[in-house]
Amino acid sequence: MFESLEPLLPRVRKPVQYVGGERNAGTKPWGSVPVHWALCYPDAYEVGLPNQGLMILYEVLNERSDALAERTYAVWPDLAALMREHGVPQFTVDGHRPVGAFDVLGVSFATELGYTNLLSILDLAGIPLHAADRTTEHPLVLAGGHAAFNPEPIADFVDLVALGDGEEVVGDITDVVKAAKAEGLDRRATLERLAAVPGVYVPGLYEVTYGDDGAIAAVTPTSPAAPERVHKRTTSDLDDWPYPKKPLVPMAETVHERMSVEIFRGCTRGCRFCQAGMITRPVRERSPQGVGEMVEQGLKSSGYHEVGLLSLSSADHSGIGEIAKGLADRYEGTGTGLSLPSTRVDAFNVTLAEELTRSGRRSGLTFAPEGGSERLRKVINKMVSEEELIATVSTAYEHGWRQVKLYFMCGLPTETDEDVLQIASMAHEVIRAGRQAAGRGDVRATVSIGAFVPKPHTPFQWAGQTAPDVVDARLRKLREAINSDRSLGRNIGLRYHDGQPSLVEGLLSRGDRRIGRVIERAWREGQQFDGWSEHFSFERWVAAAESELEGVDLAWFTTRERGEHEVLPWDHLDSGLDRGWLWDDWQDALAAEEQDDCRWTPCFDCGVCPTMGTEIQMAPPGRPSLPLTPVEHRTSTPIRNPAFASSAPSTGGRDE
Amino acid sequence: MAETQGGRPSVLKAKAGDAPHPSAPVVGKLRMRYAKRGRARFSSHRDIARTMEWTLRRAGVPVALSQGFSPHPRLSWIGAAPTGAASEAEYLEIGVTEHLDPAVVAREVDAVLPDGLAVIEVVPAGPGALADRIDTSVWEIETPGVPDDALAPAIEAFLAAPEVSVERVTKNGPKPLDVRAAVAELRLSLTRTDEPADADREDRARAATCGRLTAVVRHTTPAARPDDVCSALRAVAGLEFPEPNRATRWAQGRLDERGELIDPLAADRAAPTA
Ligand code: SF4
C-alpha cells in the first residue's frame, strides 16, 4: 500500500521516517509463512527505531521459517490527519502492509506514556479499541516491556500481555498461533490456549471485583485455562542470544545512533525506586568474549562509529575493566567512540572513564547519588556517603574533567525540605573541592532533578506519591539555596521539569482496570504523545479522571499510601519478588536501613531465583579477554572489509 | 532499555578519536556520482550524509579523518537534491588514505547502501574543483492530475514572460525568487525513456492525466527547485496542481555556450590517474 501513502509524504514533516528501507531490515513474502507479526513501539520513529527490545524480537522472529515480523511506529498528527482523510490505515514501515492484516500486533511499552498512542495506532489500524469487540479477523494485540508488569490500565485494550524477557515467549506464541490458525480455532479458544503459555497473561480471562473502600476485592480467573498467577519469563544465557546481530541502521535521524550491546541484564543493587532493577532479576552477564564478538559484528554490519555498552549499571559487570580496555585497544585511532551508562558513585567509575577517554578530551562525567541527604540515600538504598561522593568528584576534577553532572530525585518517600536542601550544600561542597583539586576556579557542576514516581513491583509500590506542588515548592527552595552563595552558585546549573506529568505517570503506573476509561477519555479529547511536553496536557488528564472515575479519584491512585493487605492491581502478576520480602524492604526503607547486593554478599531471599528457577550468572573470570587479534596499527580504516581483498562482489546482506 | 527512573544512568562516554592523534594523511580524493531513488527520495541531505558516512565504514573504505578533538570524515558534498526529489546525479568527494581502484570502491559501496541509494560511478579526482564544473541541473517533473495538454500553454506563457517571481521561504523570511531567470529551458518531456514498452493499461491511463516536463535550471541563490517551477507555472498561467509533483534530477553539470551540459566527471576520466 505504499502507493496510497506516497502522495501524502511530500506534505508532512520528515517523511523519511515512514518509508522504511533501513539497512539490515527486510521483508518476506506474505504467503511464505503462516504467522505474521507487526511489532510496534508506540512512540515516534526517531525514538522507537533504536529500541533494542523491538530490534531483538524483530530479528529473532524473522529468523524463524514460519513467521515474519515487520515494524510499525506512532504516526505524527500531520500524517495521521492525511491518512484519515485519504483512508490510509496504520502501516508497517517494512512492507507497508496494513497493521490490521497481521496475526499479532506486539506493542512494547518501555513506559506508560505510550498508552494513548496505543489507542491512536489501533484506531488508525481499524482495530476495535476494546479487546472484547474484536473478532477472528483482527490481530491479537499483545503488550510487553517493563510497563506491562502492570498492564491493568490497558487491560481492556489488549488481548495478551507477555511478562519478562521476550526472546523465548514470542516463539511460544508463534507456535500456538500457527496451530490455532491451522485448526481454525476461534478467538476465545486461541486466547485460552495462549493463557497456558508461561509468561502470557490474558486479561480478558480474569474478573476484577472491588470492595466498598474502593480497593480491589479480588482478581479471579473466569476460565479454567487461566492460571491464578502469571510468572515472568527469564532468558537465562545471554551468550546464547547475541541479538541484535545486525542492528537496523535508519536513514532518518534517531535519538541513539550507535551500536548497542547489552552486557548484562538485571541488577541487584537494590535501589528501591528502580522498577527496572527489581523486575529484571537476577543478574545475568554476557561474557567479555560474547560482548567483543557482538561489537565486532555489529560495527561491521552497521558502520556505526559509536558503541554503547548497555545495562542498568554497566560499570558493575564483573569483567568491565577487561571489556573496556579490550575495546579501547581494539578500536584506538579508528574514531570509534565507547560509552556506557553507570549508576555508581565511586572511584572505579573515574578509573573506567579514564580508560574510555584515554588521551582524549574530558568534558563531563556523571554521577547519580539520587538522594540529597545521607538519611534519604539509606531510604532508597543508594549506598554512598557524602565523603565518598566528594572524594570521587575531586578525583574526577583532578584527572582533568571540568564538569560533573549530578542526578537526584525529588519527592522520595519520607523526604522533607531539609533533605532536598542538602543537595545545595553538597553541590557547593563539590565546587569547593573541585576548585581545590583542579587548581582552578572554572569547574562546573550540573544538578539534574527528576520527580519520583512509585512503581509496581518495587518496595515503594505502597508509597504515597508526593504531590507536584510540593515537589515544585521544594525545587524552588533548592534553587534559592544554591544561589545563596553567589560565588559557588554561579558554577552550578540546576535542571528540572515541573512535577505535573509525573502525577499522570503515577496514575498510569499504579492504576487498575478503572483507569482504562480515563485513558480512553483523555485520548478522545485529543491526548497522545504523552512523553512530548508540547503534546502533553495535564488539564486534559485531570478532567478525564474527574469525569470517568467514581468513588475513587486521581489522588486515591497517586498520593495515597497503600496498606500491607490491600490487593494491588498487579498482585496476580509475578515478577519473582516475594511480596513479603518487598514489604519488609519497604519497612526497612522507612527505618532507613540498607540492603546489600546479592552479587557480593549472600542471597537475601528476594524470592526471584527460587520462584523462577534462575540463578545469578557472572561471567567466568580468567577467560581470554576478547577474541580479537591485535590489529596492525591502522589509523583510518575502522573496519576492514575482507571483501576488498578478494574480487568476489559482496552481497548486500539483506534477508529476503 | 535502561529507561529507568531514578537510576537514570550517568553516561561514561568517550570517543577514542577524541584524542588529537595523528590520523593517516590524505593520499587522494575520489569523486562519486550516486542516485537517490524510490523511497529514498524522501530523505534529506542530512539523512544522506549520515547514511553515507556509515555506509563507507561498512564497505571498509579508508576515509580520511579530519584532525583535532572530534575528527569527522573528509567528505564534501555538492548541492544535494531537496527532500522529496529523486536524483540520478548527486555528487560527493571522498578523501581517502589509501590508493584504491575506483571501480572496486563503487562496487563495494553500492553493495552495502540502503535501498534506494545507488552508486553510479567513482573516479579519481583530477585537477580542479568539482564545484566549478556544476552550475546547472536537468530536472524532470511529473505532475499528477495535470496532463501535458494543460502544461503546454502554461510553459509557453512562462517562456514568454520577462520575469516570473515566486515567494520562497528562507531562513531570513520570505524572499522573491525570479524563476524565469533561473530556467534555461522548459519543455514537455516527450520521450518516456524510463517506461517499459509493456507498461500495463493502468499505467498508461495514469500517464494520460499526469504530465511530464523537463526543466534545465541554473543554480542560483536561493536555488530554484522543481516546486518553484510548478509555483511559477501557477503564477503565470493559473495552473493548479492537485497533487504534489514528483521530480527527478537527471543530470548536473556546466552549461556551455551552445546550451549543452558538460558531464562534471568527464575531466577526471580524461585526466591521467593520480
Ligand atoms: S533470590 Fe537471592 S540471589 Fe536471587 S536475585 Fe534475589 S537475593 Fe539475589
Side-chain angles (χ1 to χ4, degrees):
Chain A
M1 46 161 283
F2 189 68
E3 317 73 54
S4 49
L5 177 67
E6 193 176 17
L8 312 181
L9 294 180
R11 299 158 64 182
V12 305
R13 257 182 70 248
K14 298 193 195 160
V16 68
Q17 65 184 309
Y18 304 113
V19 305
E22 300 87 353
R23 181 73 194 165
N24 296 329
T27 53
K28 290 184 183 179
W30 188 259
S32 67
V33 293
V35 182
H36 310 96
W37 282 76
L39 297 174
C40 173
Y41 192 88
D43 202 338
Y45 179 89
E46 64 192 85
V47 179
L49 185 282
N51 181 266
Q52 290 291 295
L54 209 73
M55 231 187 258
I56 291 169
L57 299 182
Y58 177 75
E59 218 173 315
V60 166
L61 283 166
N62 277 322
E63 278 182 7
R64 288 180 69 112
S65 58
D66 57 359
L68 66 75
E70 301 198 356
R71 294 158 299 125
T72 186
Y73 303 94
V75 168
W76 286 110
D78 59 348
L79 181 59
L82 288 171
M83 285 165 64
R84 291 207 163 87
E85 187 188 326
H86 294 267
V88 177
Q90 177 81 25
F91 55 87
T92 57
V93 296
D94 298 282
H96 290 92
R97 288 161 171 153
V99 164
F102 286 76
D103 299 304
V104 187
L105 169 59
V107 190
S108 174
F109 291 100
T111 86
E112 299 79 7
L113 300 177
Y115 292 166
T116 47
N117 280 4
L118 167 69
L119 299 191
S120 301
I121 287 161
L122 292 174
D123 184 53
L124 266 177
I127 300 170
L129 293 190
H130 292 258
D133 299 333
R134 292 175 200 146
T135 67
T136 315
E137 67 178 277
H138 297 115
L140 295 163
V141 179
L142 163 74
H146 288 180
F149 270 90
N150 175 25
E152 294 302 276
I154 50 167
D156 293 346
F157 313 125
V158 300
D159 299 288
L160 305 166
V161 178
L163 297 184
D165 295 333
E167 284 95 341
E168 291 167 304
V169 79
V170 292
D172 297 347
I173 293 172
T174 304
D175 292 338
V176 174
V177 170
K178 181 164 77 170
K181 281 180 84 172
E183 293 169 38
L185 293 190
D186 66 14
R187 197 172 183 89
R188 168 89 186 184
T190 305
L191 287 171
E192 287 189 330
R193 204 176 277 187
L194 283 163
V197 174
V200 173
Y201 167 54
V202 181
L205 302 181
Y206 296 77
E207 189 195 14
V208 182
T209 51
Y210 302 92
D212 294 336
D213 57 353
I216 293 172
V219 178
T220 329
T222 55
S223 152
E228 293 278 337
R229 296 194 84 203
V230 180
H231 309 284
K232 75 165 180 185
R233 294 292 288 265
T234 308
T235 301
S236 54
D237 193 338
L238 252 49
D239 281 331
D240 287 345
W241 298 92
Y243 297 90
K245 295 173 185 165
K246 293 176 171 180
L248 298 172
V249 186
M251 269 199 280
E253 193 167 6
T254 61
V255 293
H256 296 304
E257 301 185 327
R258 62 179 174 223
M259 165 64 207
S260 294
V261 175
E262 189 183 19
I263 64 171
F264 67 87
R265 205 172 283 180
C267 178
T268 37
R269 288 206 155 240
C271 300
R272 292 178 174 125
F273 52 81
C274 178
Q275 187 193 37
M278 293 286 165
I279 62 177
T280 58
R281 293 177 175 198
V283 167
R284 289 145 289 152
E285 293 188 343
R286 197 184 296 283
S287 68
Q289 201 163 4
V291 172
E293 277 163 19
M294 278 187 74
V295 169
E296 178 79 357
Q297 281 305 318
L299 287 180
K300 245 187 201 147
S301 75
S302 67
Y304 280 143
H305 50 264
E306 196 164 327
V307 178
L309 302 175
L310 298 191
S311 75
L312 292 170
S313 181
S314 293
D316 285 345
H317 190 292
S318 62
I320 190 64
E322 183 192 350
I323 293 173
K325 182 173 186 322
L327 293 176
D329 286 349
R330 169 72 180 89
Y331 298 106
E332 183 156 14
T334 64
T336 304
L338 296 172
S339 67
L340 57 85
S342 167
T343 56
R344 292 170 65 144
V345 185
D346 56 23
F348 179 66
N349 236 8
V350 182
T351 314
L352 195 55
E354 285 203 274
E355 184 64 77
L356 295 180
T357 49
R358 293 272 169 98
S359 54
R361 181 170 48 175
R362 291 175 179 171
S363 39
L365 203 51
T366 309
F367 300 99
E370 307 288 4
S373 70
E374 200 143 329
R375 184 194 70 80
L376 203 54
R377 288 195 293 276
K378 283 185 177 150
V379 170
I380 61 177
N381 204 37
K382 182 88 196 193
M383 290 171 275
V384 52
S385 67
E386 172 135 8
E387 277 156 48
E388 214 178 328
L389 175 87
I390 299 300
T392 303
V393 170
S394 300
T395 316
Y397 286 122
E398 209 174 301
H399 286 80
W401 273 278
R402 287 286 160 265
Q403 172 160 20
V404 298
K405 271 191 209 152
L406 302 171
Y407 276 140
F408 296 94
M409 273 185 293
C410 184
L412 289 161
T414 76
E415 178 186 279
T416 61
D417 286 5
E418 188 44 41
D419 291 311
V420 174
L421 289 177
Q422 284 199 33
I423 296 174
S425 32
M426 188 192 276
H428 286 162
E429 195 48 47
V430 160
I431 295 297
R432 242 181 249 123
R435 283 180 182 165
Q436 197 174 7
R440 51 199 290 176
D442 64 348
V443 298
R444 283 197 58 79
T446 306
V447 173
S448 271
I449 305 206
F452 165 66
V453 180
K455 294 275 165 136
H457 304 279
T458 69
F460 290 164
Q461 63 182 357
W462 289 280
Q465 185 171 351
T466 310
D469 47 340
V470 175
V471 170
D472 292 348
R474 281 187 188 146
L475 294 177
R476 269 196 305 276
K477 287 182 194 159
L478 173 62
R479 180 177 290 284
E480 284 163 25
I482 287 176
N483 293 330
S484 65
D485 185 317
R486 295 275 306 274
S487 146
L488 297 169
R490 70 189 150 88
N491 289 25
I492 301 169
L494 178 63
R495 283 197 199 145
Y496 62 87
H497 301 290
D498 79 287
Q500 289 180 339
S502 308
L503 200 70
V504 173
E505 192 187 334
L507 173 73
L508 300 177
S509 294
R510 290 194 295 169
D512 55 36
R513 293 193 179 186
R514 291 171 290 190
I515 297 305
R517 289 201 305 272
V518 179
I519 296 170
E520 187 171 340
R521 162 67 60 187
W523 175 75
R524 290 202 186 279
E525 300 298 329
Q527 188 57 46
Q528 55 170 348
F529 286 99
D530 279 291
W532 300 75
S533 52
E534 64 272 37
H535 291 278
F536 179 84
S537 162
F538 183 63
E539 292 67 33
R540 195 147 49 196
W541 277 106
V542 170
E546 266 165 20
S547 75
E548 298 298 327
L549 292 176
E550 277 167 43
V552 286
D553 58 13
L554 183 55
W556 192 88
F557 281 103
T558 55
T559 52
R560 182 180 63 96
E561 185 172 328
R562 277 77 161 162
E564 181 176 5
H565 301 293
E566 179 171 334
V567 177
L568 300 174
W570 52 90
D571 274 347
H572 57 301
L573 304 176
D574 186 12
S575 60
L577 298 161
D578 183 77
R579 199 181 197 268
W581 178 81
L582 279 175
W583 177 263
D584 290 347
D585 204 41
W586 168 226
Q587 297 308 306
D588 284 350
L590 294 174
E593 281 178 33
E594 295 156 315
Q595 172 67 64
D596 281 332
D597 189 320
C598 62
R599 272 172 294 185
W600 307 302
T601 59
C603 167
F604 48 77
D605 291 323
C606 78
V608 170
C609 294
T611 337
M612 298 295 144
T614 50
E615 57 179 14
I616 305 178
Q617 293 172 336
M618 307 287 263
R623 275 208 224 164
S625 59
L626 293 165
L628 307 167
T629 42
V631 283
E632 76 262 45
H633 196 66
R634 201 177 270 291
T635 47
S636 72
T637 314
I639 309 141
R640 194 65 186 158
N641 184 352
F644 249 115
S646 78
S647 58
S650 79
T651 64
R654 282 180 67 82
D655 17 317
E656 206 31 79
Chain B
M1 229 150 277
E3 278 171 85
T4 67
Q5 120 158 322
R8 276 153 311 172
S10 57
V11 175
L12 299 180
K13 208 174 172 178
K15 236 188 184 162
D18 269 357
H21 59 77
S23 63
V26 185
V27 301
K29 285 182 186 169
L30 297 173
R31 287 173 180 163
M32 176 185 285
R33 175 178 174 179
Y34 67 94
K36 172 186 165 194
R37 301 170 179 149
R39 295 173 195 183
R41 75 185 169 98
F42 293 107
S43 53
S44 69
H45 174 54
R46 274 165 62 90
D47 298 331
I48 302 236
R50 202 171 36 236
T51 296
M52 198 59 92
E53 245 180 69
W54 293 328
T55 300
L56 291 166
R57 290 174 75 101
R58 283 199 291 272
V61 176
V63 178
L65 299 176
S66 64
Q67 305 291 325
F69 274 114
S70 46
H72 48 267
R74 291 189 178 276
L75 305 179
S76 358
W77 301 85
I78 289 104
T83 307
S87 174
E88 292 294 319
E90 299 295 288
Y91 293 91
L92 162 67
E93 200 166 73
I94 308 163
V96 289
T97 61
E98 287 169 43
H99 291 289
L100 300 162
D101 177 349
V104 175
V105 172
R107 188 190 69 206
E108 292 297 324
V109 173
D110 189 59
V112 294
L113 270 171
D115 277 2
L117 297 180
V119 177
I120 294 175
E121 188 181 7
V122 176
V123 299
L130 187 54
D132 293 344
R133 302 187 206 146
I134 294 180
D135 63 13
T136 303
S137 289
V138 179
W139 288 100
E140 179 159 273
I141 307 171
E142 289 178 77
T143 56
V146 183
D148 283 354
D149 299 348
L151 287 174
I155 292 173
E156 223 168 281
F158 174 88
L159 293 174
E163 190 190 313
V164 184
S165 204
V166 303
E167 199 155 88
R168 255 301 276 290
V169 184
T170 70
K171 264 179 250 147
N172 313 316
K175 265 199 178 158
L177 168 67
D178 181 3
V179 180
R180 181 65 194 89
V183 169
E185 200 183 327
L186 188 66
R187 57 180 163 78
L188 293 174
S189 322
L190 293 173
T191 46
R192 297 174 179 273
T193 45
D194 60 334
E195 200 169 289
D198 59 350
D200 64 28
R201 214 182 310 152
E202 217 172 292
D203 272 1
R204 259 179 280 137
R206 190 180 144 117
T209 63
C210 177
R212 287 183 190 214
L213 46 87
T214 297
V216 179
V217 183
R218 289 191 202 90
H219 295 182
T220 50
T221 318
R225 296 169 171 179
D227 283 346
D228 299 316
V229 173
C230 291
S231 303
L233 292 177
R234 185 186 307 129
V236 79
L239 211 52
E240 285 306 328
F241 296 89
E243 279 184 57
N245 68 69
R246 278 196 305 270
T248 305
R249 174 146 72 188
W250 285 106
Q252 291 193 75
R254 205 166 53 75
L255 211 54
D256 73 7
E257 308 75 46
R258 289 167 307 163
E260 268 170 44
L261 199 69
I262 302 166
D263 179 347
L265 300 186
D268 299 314
R269 263 181 243 117
T273 317

